[in-house]
């Protein structure tokens, strides 16, 4: 802060605060007769802060500046540099320095543009500011004028209720801190620079609280993230049930259904899911299952009223698009409902119901537009009532926790057609809007959004700022963290961003600190360096050695390029702790599955590689079996200045098929600088990131000792999937599901943090230590979950 020259028209007024009281309240001000002393201000949240603290002669409780009287606790405008809006602060001290100059100490407020929200400040309510924990000393004449800031209770507004903000210049209900760029509910007055609770480690025994909470997994893929979250919550003493999941990929949905029979899996686009939820609520209101505060919009069925109760329902009406002559059919029952265009016709999307026709079997079930079915009141009522009673679809307030990462392909580093100027107009980033609209509609208690690190990098972090701004505008508390999968017990780097959201009345979950060593710090843009979980404490953490590829997969039986069976025997005993625990059967694990699948038999699923064509297989067979081997070791190429090129002195060797042994693309990839094409992994290595493709053309995916790419199961191991998690679909789809997943141990760690917070057991620290390690923690009742 720039400090203008003191002018003379200012002074403290009234009696100074007694020396006794002043030294008791501000002991660091009375340390020395020197002008300043360097002190360490230990604030538990931000770590130790060094400050060169002005020494005081005496303190006051009031001051006059340009004829205006100011008191301690007043909120004021403070002079900023030319051309900038004045700063806003709360006065927390008035004192005369040893050199006689008058000072005040300011505790600053942030405007939204001063926070991580930055350029997206217009998403947040006008007049809204955030209290900080940042304080510093300023000459008294920097005070410009008084400003009226009111503190309002933090609250999520639902339905028709209005949030009342009294007349003011600014208002606040939340604090903002730099540690993990956190917005959190401002505790009651007097919390300046103070912690609310002091326990720093939360690894104490928890009181089990088995009340069931419902989770909605959006963009669920095969469900890795939510599987981890439910396991972690269970370790904290909470029963978190994956009640609903939504994904547009039918194979991913099949996998989720297979592994989670308790989940209502919706194979549809998230945007259609939201429209369905809105329509479902109207149906629940229509049949008086929930009260409606709003006027239900007329659904045009008033003329049907007198036919109410007509059991001889028919699918007549204006069922445009229906190819079946309606008068010949009678609805037996409704089976499902969706918003969209399930008949695949070129019609506008609309609400549809799946009909079982009287006298016909499942093969004749059809989807019919709701508009043509309005007359089937009784059957509709039956269907909606059953759905309502079983919570088939969530109504606002039903969902405790929403997790999932909206895909933002528009920001991906791989995408060459990125719209930098207006990221949200890029259709590939639309899902971020859809995601936030779903949150806005359902108002869950907790939100956890996952994304790639490009979220922070693309267009100066636009999408990350947007996500935070939307949540804050909905009055959620938020906190950002970046986690590396390898830090939680798998041999993979994989950095991902996680954004917590929590209703203002809930505890905001912390981030779980790493349990395992990771590689060097990842390259986050400087402003976001703060959010790398554990980074500021890296020297204090006692970490296990990072896992290696051998730790994760050395026990798996050999497989050839042509392995046909997706169910095999293990053949060997586990060789490492990781292998021992990752092999647990579902029944032996903590996965809460309501007693279904009690089988303890252990089958090795999905241990199959993508079958390479003859040419690629021949190339792979030529790659030597040693650490670091890749296409550069093949005959016919030479390396100069770390750049590969064809050796002009020899003829290019060919494959049996007549094609070149070293293909052109391998040499031209990254201008000849890459070592990835046809790269072999080695036992002591950590995989960079498991991706969705298995081809060896531009990534290191060949098994250390076998001539094939890593199998689906090997990838799944590196992602921390328990071995009992079987995947569905063609092999390429299985790779996609595994490559898209949030590494299971990361989900477990976050689920534990959520569980503590949602039971009110976490303190206000942004990070916690985990009392367990993955995958040991997966073991069910028989063994203690100890660190
Ligand atoms: N969280 C998951 C991985 C999700 S990957 C896990 O941990 O396993 C993102 C998923 O979003 C993909 O499975 C993709 O099929 C799905 N998806 C993409 N666009 C979608 C849309 N519009 N609606 C619903 N799902 C979508």
């Amino acid at each position: 802060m720039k400090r203008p020259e003191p002018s003379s028209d200012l002074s403290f007024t009234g009696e100074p605060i007694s020396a006794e009281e002043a030294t008791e309240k501000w002991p660091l001000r009375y340390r020395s007769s020197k002008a300043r002393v360097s002190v360490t201000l230990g604030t538990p949240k931000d770590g130790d802060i060094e400050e060169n603290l002005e020494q005081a002669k005496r303190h006051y409780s009031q001051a006059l500046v340009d004829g205006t009287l100011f008191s301690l606790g007043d909120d004021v405008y403070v002079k900023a540099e030319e051309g900038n809006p004045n700063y806003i602060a709360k006065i927390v001290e008035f004192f005369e320095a040893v050199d006689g100059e008058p000072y005040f100490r300011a505790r600053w407020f942030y405007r939204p543009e001063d926070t991580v929200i930055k350029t997206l400040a217009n998403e947040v309510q006008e007049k809204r500011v955030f209290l900080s924990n940042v304080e510093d000393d300023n000459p008294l004449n920097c005070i410009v004028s008084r400003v009226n800031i009111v503190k309002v209770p933090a609250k999520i507004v639902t339905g028709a209720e209005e949030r009342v903000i009294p007349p003011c210049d600014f208002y606040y209900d939340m604090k903002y801190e730099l540690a993990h760029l956190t917005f959190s509910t401002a505790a009651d007055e007097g919390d300046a620079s103070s912690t609310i609770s002091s326990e720093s480690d939360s690894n104490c025994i928890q009181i089990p609280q088995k009340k069931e909470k419902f989770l909605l997994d959006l963009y669920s893929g095969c469900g890795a993230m939510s599987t981890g979250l439910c396991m972690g919550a269970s370790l904290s003493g909470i029963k978190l049930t994956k009640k609903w999941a939504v994904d547009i990929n039918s194979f991913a949905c099949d996998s989720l259904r297979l592994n989670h029979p308790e989940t209502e899996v919706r194979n549809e686009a998230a945007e259609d899911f939201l429209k369905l939820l809105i329509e479902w609520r109207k149906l629940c209101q229509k049949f008086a299952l929930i009260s409606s505060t709003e006027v239900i919009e007329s659904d045009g069925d008033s003329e049907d009223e007198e036919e109410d109760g007509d059991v001889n329902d028919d699918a007549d009406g204006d069922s445009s698009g229906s190819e079946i002559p309606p008068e010949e059919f009678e609805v037996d029952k409704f089976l499902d409902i969706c918003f969209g265009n399930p008949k695949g016709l070129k019609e506008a999307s609309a609400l549809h119901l799946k009909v079982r026709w009287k006298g016909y079997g499942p093969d004749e079930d059809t989807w019919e537009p709701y508009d043509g079915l309005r007359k089937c009141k009784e059957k509709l009522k039956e269907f909606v009532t059953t759905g309502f009673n079983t919570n088939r679809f969530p109504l606002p307030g039903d969902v405790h926790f929403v997790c999932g990462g909206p895909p933002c392909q528009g920001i991906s580093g791989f995408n060459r057609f990125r719209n930098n100027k207006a990221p949200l107009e890029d259709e590939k980033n639309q899902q971020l809007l859809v995601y936030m609209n779903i949150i806005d509609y359902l108002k869950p208690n907790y939100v956890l959004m996952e994304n790639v690190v490009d979220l922070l990098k693309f267009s100066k972090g636009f999408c990350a700022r947007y996500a935070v701004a939307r949540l804050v505008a909905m009055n959620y508390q938020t906190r950002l963290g970046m986690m590396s999968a390898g830090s939680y017990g798998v041999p993979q780097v994989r950095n991902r961003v996680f954004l917590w959201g929590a209703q203002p009345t809930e505890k905001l979950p912390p981030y779980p600190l790493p349990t395992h060593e990771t590689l060097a710090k990842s390259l986050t843009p400087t402003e976001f360096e703060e959010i790398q979980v554990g980074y500021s404490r890296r020297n204090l953490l006692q970490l296990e050695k990072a896992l290696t590829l051998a730790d994760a997969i050395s026990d798996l039986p050999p497989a050839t390029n042509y392995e046909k069976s997706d169910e095999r025997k293990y053949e060997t005993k586990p060789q490492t702790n990781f292998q021992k625990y990752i092999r647990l059967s579902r029944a032996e694990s903590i996965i809460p599955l309501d007693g279904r699948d009690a089988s303890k038999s252990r089958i090795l699923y999905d241990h199959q590689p993508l079958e390479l064509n003859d040419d690629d297989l021949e190339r792979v067979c030529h790659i030597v079996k040693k650490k670091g081997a890749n296409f550069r070791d093949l005959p016919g190429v030479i390396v100069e200045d770390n750049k590969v090129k064809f050796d002009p002195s020899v003829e290019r060797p060919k494959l049996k098929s007549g094609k070149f042994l070293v293909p052109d693309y391998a040499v031209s990839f990254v201008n000849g600088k890459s070592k990835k094409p046809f790269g072999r992994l080695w036992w002591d290595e950590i995989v960079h990131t498991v991706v969705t493709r298995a081809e060896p053309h531009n990534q290191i995916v060949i098994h250390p000792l076998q001539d094939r790419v890593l199998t689906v199961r090997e990838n799944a191991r590196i992602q921390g999937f328990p071995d009992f998690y079987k995947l569905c679909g063609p092999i390429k789809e299985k790779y996609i599901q595994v490559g898209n997943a949030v590494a299971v141990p990361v989900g477990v760690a976050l689920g534990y943090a959520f569980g503590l917070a949602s039971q009110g057991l976490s303190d206000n620290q942004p990070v916690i230590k985990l009392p367990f390690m993955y995958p040991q923690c997966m073991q069910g009742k028989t063994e203690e979950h100890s660190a």
Side-chain angles (χ1 to χ4, degrees):
M1 176 146 312
K2 208 167 170 182
R3 290 170 182 187
E5 285 301 303
S7 78
S8 54
D9 189 17
L10 46 95
S11 62
F12 294 120
T13 59
E15 285 296 305
I17 293 170
S18 76
E20 204 181 354
E21 190 185 336
T23 34
E24 197 195 333
K25 254 187 163 161
W26 300 287
L28 299 176
R29 295 274 187 214
Y30 296 94
R31 278 261 187 96
S32 154
S33 55
K34 280 194 274 174
R36 290 186 191 91
V37 283
S38 170
V39 292
T40 306
L41 301 175
T43 63
K45 284 188 195 69
D46 304 323
D48 292 339
I49 297 170
E50 282 280 323
E51 189 177 333
N52 220 359
L53 205 67
E54 294 283 349
Q55 293 298 290
K57 261 192 211 159
R58 52 186 79 88
H59 273 79
Y60 288 85
S61 48
Q62 288 191 318
L64 264 176
V65 181
D66 288 335
T68 310
L69 185 68
F70 294 93
S71 304
L72 283 181
D74 281 353
D75 296 317
V76 290
Y77 279 121
V78 180
K79 227 172 272 176
E81 296 86 351
E82 274 301 307
N84 290 321
N86 286 322
Y87 299 111
I88 323 164
K90 187 177 277 305
I91 301 172
V92 294
E93 263 179 86
F94 282 127
F95 66 93
E96 185 184 332
V98 286
D99 60 5
E101 288 299 331
Y103 279 95
F104 76 102
R105 187 167 180 84
R107 180 177 181 186
W108 301 103
F109 284 98
Y110 289 100
R111 291 187 171 94
E113 52 268 39
D114 306 326
T115 70
V116 59
I117 291 172
K118 270 201 178 148
T119 47
L120 286 153
N122 57 343
E123 295 287 335
V124 176
Q125 293 85 345
E126 249 184 280
K127 294 189 181 182
R128 191 157 172 208
V129 291
F130 305 91
L131 188 61
S132 79
N133 284 331
V134 181
E135 297 182 359
D136 56 26
D137 300 335
N138 298 269
L140 194 56
N141 68 335
C142 294
I143 294 177
V144 176
S145 61
R146 189 172 281 117
V147 53
N148 177 19
I149 306 183
V150 295
K151 179 163 187 280
V152 300
K155 165 170 190 194
I156 295 263
V157 178
T158 46
E161 210 185 335
E162 280 279 330
R163 193 164 179 207
V164 186
I165 308 291
C168 60
D169 297 316
F170 297 102
Y171 74 93
Y172 76 100
D173 53 4
M174 283 198 202
K175 289 186 299 190
Y176 180 68
E177 283 165 72
L178 285 179
H180 291 281
L181 307 174
T182 302
F183 289 91
S184 61
T185 302
D188 283 331
E189 262 328 299
D191 68 334
S193 322
S194 70
T195 33
I196 292 110
S197 147
S198 55
E199 275 283 284
S200 63
D201 287 346
S202 303
N203 52 356
C204 44
I205 306 292
Q206 309 303 341
I207 310 139
Q209 231 193 49
K210 287 286 179 194
K211 194 171 173 298
E212 190 172 18
K213 316 242 182 203
F214 290 152
L215 174 71
L216 163 62
D217 188 354
L218 289 175
Y219 314 96
S220 61
C222 67
M225 181 186 198
S226 48
T227 298
L229 290 173
C230 293
M231 283 200 246
S234 160
L235 289 169
S236 82
I238 274 215
K239 184 165 163 56
L240 180 66
T241 303
K242 190 186 321 200
K243 184 84 180 159
W244 312 275
V246 183
D247 199 286
I248 205 165
N249 179 311
S250 67
F251 301 109
C253 287
D254 290 345
S255 296
L256 206 144
R257 268 186 212 109
L258 178 70
N259 291 283
H260 296 277
E262 76 281 16
T263 309
E264 169 76 30
V265 181
R266 302 294 304 178
N267 179 205
E268 62 203 352
E271 49 275 36
D272 288 339
F273 178 68
L274 175 57
K275 288 185 191 138
L276 170 64
L277 295 187
I278 293 168
E279 294 303 322
W280 178 255
R281 180 154 170 254
K282 286 188 202 155
L283 286 172
C284 290
Q285 287 171 339
K286 179 182 164 104
F287 295 112
L289 297 163
I290 51 172
S291 65
S292 73
T293 43
E294 302 139 51
V295 184
I296 312 171
E297 67 186 70
S298 159
D299 57 5
D301 61 355
S302 52
E303 78 273 21
D304 303 342
E305 294 303 330
E306 63 268 28
E307 293 172 47
D308 222 11
D310 183 1
V311 278
N312 199 13
D313 295 323
D314 68 33
D316 206 335
D318 52 352
S319 60
S320 49
S322 166
E323 307 112 80
I324 306 154
E327 63 278 7
E328 294 175 19
F329 295 93
E330 196 183 318
V331 171
D332 181 20
K333 59 181 169 186
F334 293 115
L335 304 168
D336 201 354
I337 185 166
C338 79
F339 193 96
N341 204 340
K343 299 178 100 171
L345 301 171
K346 283 201 177 93
E347 289 169 1
S349 287
L351 195 62
H352 283 73
L353 285 125
K354 192 174 186 179
V355 182
R356 169 73 42 86
W357 301 101
K358 200 162 213 160
Y360 291 86
D363 288 349
E364 271 76 32
D365 292 346
T366 58
W367 284 97
E368 300 300 326
Y370 169 66
D371 273 344
L373 301 166
R374 285 175 195 274
K375 284 187 181 167
C376 311
K377 278 256 165 79
E378 279 309 308
K379 297 285 158 87
L380 268 175
K381 186 174 181 181
E382 205 178 290
F383 174 72
V384 176
T385 308
T386 310
F388 173 81
N389 289 336
T390 56
N391 265 317
R392 182 157 181 185
F393 304 103
L395 296 166
D398 280 353
V399 186
H400 190 72
F401 189 174
V402 170
C403 76
C408 301
Q409 283 120 344
I411 61 169
S412 164
F414 295 118
N415 188 333
R416 285 178 295 133
F417 309 102
R418 306 193 285 181
N419 186 346
N420 257 302
K421 298 224 166 62
L424 291 177
E425 278 162 32
D426 190 333
E427 195 161 327
K428 293 187 224 70
N429 294 333
Q430 277 296 307
Q431 292 306 316
L432 186 55
L433 269 79
V434 172
Y435 188 83
M436 290 301 161
N437 292 343
I438 294 176
I439 303 295
D440 201 14
Y441 179 70
L442 288 173
K443 303 249 172 6
N445 302 54
Y446 287 94
V447 180
L448 180 61
M449 186 183 113
E450 171 255 354
N451 229 290
V452 291
V453 179
D454 278 327
L455 192 80
L456 309 174
K457 296 182 183 161
F458 174 63
S459 191
K460 300 190 181 122
F462 186 97
C463 292
R465 296 182 208 289
Y466 175 80
V468 173
R470 278 291 304 272
L471 285 177
V472 170
M474 293 184 245
N475 294 313
Y476 278 89
Q477 309 173 77
T478 70
R479 178 173 274 163
L480 262 173
M482 194 182 77
M483 296 164 76
S484 179
S487 300
Y488 301 87
V490 283
Q492 187 188 186
V493 179
R494 198 182 195 90
N495 288 308
R496 290 289 182 267
V497 174
F498 293 90
L499 171 62
W500 278 124
Q503 288 211 9
T505 45
E506 302 281 359
K507 286 245 183 218
L508 181 60
Y511 289 99
L513 287 166
T515 51
H516 289 70
E517 273 171 17
T518 14
L519 300 173
K521 171 180 179 310
S522 81
L523 297 166
T524 9
T526 27
E527 183 200 350
F528 292 106
E529 202 176 71
E530 289 288 343
I531 74 169
Q532 194 162 331
V533 176
Y535 187 68
S536 62
R537 303 194 184 192
R538 62 199 173 283
N539 299 328
L540 305 172
L541 299 170
Q542 289 172 338
L543 300 174
E544 296 286 312
K545 270 199 129 44
L547 267 76
T548 63
L549 185 66
D551 287 325
I553 68 162
S554 64
D555 62 321
L556 294 173
T560 71
N561 182 51
Y562 304 107
E563 180 59 53
K564 284 284 167 297
S565 175
D566 67 354
E567 290 196 10
R568 298 182 56 183
K569 286 208 181 77
Y570 279 98
E571 295 176 18
T572 55
K573 288 210 152 42
Q575 294 162 12
T576 65
N577 247 340
F578 180 92
Q579 294 161 8
K580 176 176 162 199
Y581 290 100
I582 213 80
R583 282 189 188 196
L584 291 174
S585 70
R586 192 184 291 272
E588 292 161 320
S589 81
I590 53 163
I591 302 240
L593 244 201
D594 302 339
R596 272 173 282 204
D597 185 5
S599 140
K600 283 196 181 174
S601 69
R602 295 179 179 184
I603 299 164
L604 177 58
Y605 298 119
D606 304 320
H607 187 42
Q608 287 176 289
L610 174 78
E611 187 180 316
L612 300 176
N613 62 34
D614 291 348
D615 291 338
D616 280 343
L617 179 60
E618 201 181 331
R619 290 177 179 122
V620 167
C621 290
H622 275 94
I623 305 288
V624 287
K625 294 176 175 82
K626 66 166 194 198
K627 185 175 165 79
N630 60 59
F631 79 107
R632 291 178 169 211
D633 304 313
L634 296 174
V637 294
I638 48 169
V639 180
E640 276 172 13
D641 291 341
N642 195 26
K643 213 175 150 175
V644 73
K645 57 181 188 182
F646 290 111
D647 184 349
S649 67
V650 298
E651 200 181 327
R652 255 175 98 179
K654 290 188 174 161
L655 300 167
K656 288 185 198 127
S657 66
K659 296 220 182 88
F660 290 121
L661 171 62
V662 179
D664 290 349
Y665 62 76
V667 172
S668 59
F669 187 57
V670 199
N671 282 322
K673 294 203 178 110
S674 176
K675 293 180 183 169
K676 287 183 177 172
F678 297 93
R680 246 187 223 288
L681 289 156
W682 202 246
W683 293 121
D684 62 354
E685 288 174 353
I686 296 173
V687 177
H688 183 264
T689 300
V690 171
V691 295
T692 52
R693 293 156 299 116
E695 287 81 3
H697 302 158
N698 56 9
Q699 40 176 357
I700 308 176
V701 291
I702 306 174
H703 188 276
L705 298 180
Q706 297 167 36
D707 290 322
R708 57 166 176 84
V709 295
L710 289 190
T711 64
V712 171
R713 179 51 51 193
E714 284 163 341
N715 274 0
R717 284 267 182 101
I718 297 166
Q719 284 274 53
F721 278 87
D723 275 3
F724 60 71
Y725 215 92
K726 184 172 171 15
L727 299 156
C728 299
I731 188 148
K732 283 197 176 185
E733 291 288 339
K734 294 183 181 182
Y735 277 105
I736 290 175
Q737 292 163 33
V738 171
N740 269 336
V742 169
V744 175
V746 173
V748 172
L750 287 162
Y752 181 79
F754 151 79
L756 288 189
S758 91
Q759 297 171 86
L761 295 172
S762 63
D763 53 30
N764 297 306
Q765 301 285 324
V767 290
I768 48 151
K769 237 159 113 180
L770 291 170
F772 57 77
M773 265 192 299
Y774 195 84
Q776 288 83 332
C777 64
M778 258 210 311
Q779 170 109 38
K781 299 146 200 81
T782 52
E783 215 175 74
E784 282 303 301
H785 316 125
S786 58

